Amino acid sequence: MTTQEYIKAIEMRHSRRAYKNKPLDEGIKNVIKEMVEAVNESSDLDLIFIDDATPAFRIFQGKFSMIAVCGPDSQKAMEEAGYYGEGIVLQCVYHGLGTCWVSGTFNENKVYEMTKLPRNKRLYCVITIGYPKERRNAVEKTMYNATHKKCKSYQDMFEVCDKKISDEYAYAMKLVEMAPSAVNRRPVHFRYENSVLSAYVDEPYSDRSIDFGIAKLHFVLGCKAKGINGHWNENNIFEETKTQKIKFEIEEKDEKEE
């Protein structure tokens, strides 16, 4: 997907809990499995695709699959889970599927039975994926209204900001505002000091680190859309990637007449 397609998906995305009574097509399942395998190969994560996720849920409706988001018990892995998992979510959303990050309202014991997860791995959360119903049902409306009474602006996410951020960063932060977050709490604290942007969350060994990883991806995509390439380093500082310009020196030679 292109950066603009990811941005479009961010604008399209809403958490969906009501799906059609139709399982995903085999072709779509295979594509999702390929994305899961690609993430597992490039990280310490153990994402597991589960064909029929309905036995693990009560308040969700219809037929749907899910990705069990698992990995080692570390803050880094949990942030990666949010970052890479949201990449899969946005690809699914762009192609018309409904998704939902879920960290609490499912039966963990049944998910453990489905995944046969080793003891040294932790189940962080799950992502449901299915064909969404055209309209939200009563449960979806109630949950949306309960968690969106007051949405935190990106300005309120800054703990320190010693000067005005650039228009490019402001755009990227607007996309952070649109990132999914447990009960819409938006727990990431940003700091902008001496032209350096950093971020952190309280209680990093909780699902807040999942939210952190999701926010990181949204920020990176926003910057990329505005022509800034960059990444979050291991200290959670955003580093811009400087493009190197290669200069070719042309030697001037005096022409000698023969």
Side-chain angles (χ1 to χ4, degrees):
M1 283 174 58
T2 66
T3 301
Q4 290 304 321
E5 287 172 339
Y6 276 111
I7 302 300
K8 179 65 175 176
I10 289 174
E11 295 170 348
M12 294 166 57
R13 190 208 61 80
H14 293 285
S15 297
R16 296 305 311 269
R17 298 171 178 84
Y19 300 98
K20 296 178 180 178
N21 287 314
K22 175 186 175 183
L24 295 175
D25 293 338
E26 289 302 318
I28 291 176
K29 291 178 186 177
N30 290 334
V31 171
I32 296 173
K33 289 176 183 177
E34 289 176 2
M35 290 192 287
V36 165
E37 290 174 4
V39 169
N40 290 342
E41 289 175 1
S42 61
S43 69
D44 292 330
L45 301 174
D46 286 282
L47 306 189
I48 302 170
F49 178 80
I50 297 174
D51 193 345
D52 181 12
T54 53
F57 292 82
R58 286 188 176 182
I59 65 172
F60 283 53
Q61 295 181 355
K63 297 286 185 180
F64 52 94
S65 301
M66 75 176 174
I67 297 172
V69 184
C70 314
D73 189 10
S74 73
Q75 178 184 352
K76 177 178 178 293
M78 294 182 74
E79 289 175 11
E80 285 185 341
Y83 192 96
Y84 289 116
E86 179 69 356
I88 294 176
V89 164
L90 295 177
Q91 291 184 67
C92 289
V93 169
Y94 185 79
H95 291 94
L97 300 176
T99 65
C100 186
W101 283 93
V102 189
S103 60
T105 55
F106 63 91
N107 188 319
E108 283 194 25
N109 291 331
K110 288 189 176 180
V111 175
Y112 274 108
E113 290 174 6
M114 294 173 177
T115 58
K116 297 180 174 59
L117 197 65
R119 290 185 177 181
N120 64 333
K121 299 294 182 181
R122 179 178 172 185
L123 172 64
Y124 308 140
C125 60
V126 302
I127 301 168
T128 59
I129 307 171
Y131 298 113
K133 288 187 174 181
E134 284 76 13
R135 297 181 180 179
R136 292 177 180 170
N137 64 8
V139 172
E140 288 182 306
K141 291 178 180 178
T142 300
M143 294 189 74
Y144 181 86
N145 292 333
T147 58
H148 288 73
K149 290 180 179 179
K150 183 179 180 181
C151 293
K152 186 186 290 185
S153 68
Y154 80 77
Q155 291 91 344
D156 292 333
M157 298 181 201
F158 276 96
E159 191 174 75
V160 175
C161 189
D162 60 7
K163 69 176 181 179
K164 183 180 178 182
I165 61 175
S166 67
D167 291 341
E168 292 84 0
Y169 277 18
Y171 174 78
M173 287 300 300
K174 291 294 290 184
L175 296 188
V176 172
E177 282 186 7
M178 302 171 71
S181 171
V183 296
N184 202 39
R185 65 191 167 197
R186 297 176 182 169
V188 185
H189 303 286
F190 289 88
R191 300 177 68 90
Y192 190 64
E193 301 173 281
N194 301 317
S195 299
V196 175
L197 181 73
S198 62
Y200 74 96
V201 290
D202 299 318
E203 301 176 28
Y205 286 93
S206 68
D207 57 1
R208 294 179 183 224
S209 284
I210 302 288
D211 293 345
F212 192 8
I214 296 172
K216 283 182 176 181
L217 177 64
H218 280 228
F219 187 85
V220 168
L221 289 171
C223 284
K224 194 171 183 180
K226 294 300 181 180
I228 297 176
N229 291 320
H231 69 280
W232 293 91
N233 69 19
E234 60 184 10
N235 296 315
N236 289 324
I237 295 172
F238 184 73
E239 295 181 335
E240 294 185 18
T241 304
K242 304 296 183 182
T243 55
Q244 292 184 341
K245 295 182 179 180
I246 302 175
K247 295 182 179 180
F248 294 94
E249 294 183 0
I250 301 174
E251 294 183 0
E252 294 183 0
K253 295 182 179 180
D254 293 334
E255 293 183 0
K256 295 182 180 180
E257 294 182 1
E258 294 182 357

